[in-house]
Amino acid sequence: MTRERLAKVRKYRMQSKSAPTNAIADFPSDYHVTRIPTEDFLVLPKVSSERRPYIPVGWLSPPIIPSDLLQVIEKARMEHFSVLVSSLHMGWM
């Protein structure tokens, strides 16, 4: 099952019109964009529902690899977190 999936990823990447995607076709198990923080980091979703009273914001730690569906703030401090979860920020959003 895994080999079949990797073969499909390789084929997909080889057929892409993107040069960077073609360049990594021989490495189908590698991420296209690798962003692996080395210390705790703050995450926000790139998309969230307008019906939520607050945007879900959270702290994550390595070895978690954030997906491209998240905005990552490395070297964030508690002050950043406080502003992002505040009702003032939610009103601005």
Side-chain angles (χ1 to χ4, degrees), residues 17-79:
K17 294 179 182 178
S18 167
T21 302
N22 292 143
I24 62 167
D26 289 331
F27 307 98
S29 63
D30 289 354
Y31 291 103
H32 193 294
V33 176
T34 305
R35 184 175 194 174
I36 305 173
T38 57
E39 55 189 82
D40 292 352
F41 54 100
L42 196 57
V43 293
L44 296 95
K46 286 187 177 178
V47 178
S48 186
S49 171
E50 63 186 29
R51 290 185 251 167
R52 290 180 188 257
Y54 289 93
I55 296 173
V57 178
W59 290 100
L60 296 176
S61 302
I64 294 173
I65 300 172
S67 82
D68 64 340
L69 300 176
L70 294 173
Q71 294 287 346
V72 175
I73 303 174
E74 296 183 66
K75 298 184 179 165
R77 298 188 315 264
M78 190 56 71
E79 294 86 359

Side-chain angles (χ1 to χ4, degrees), residues 81-93:
F81 179 77
S82 300
V83 169
L84 292 171
V85 299
S86 70
S87 57
L88 178 68
H89 180 256
M90 289 308 300
W92 179 77
M93 293 298 294

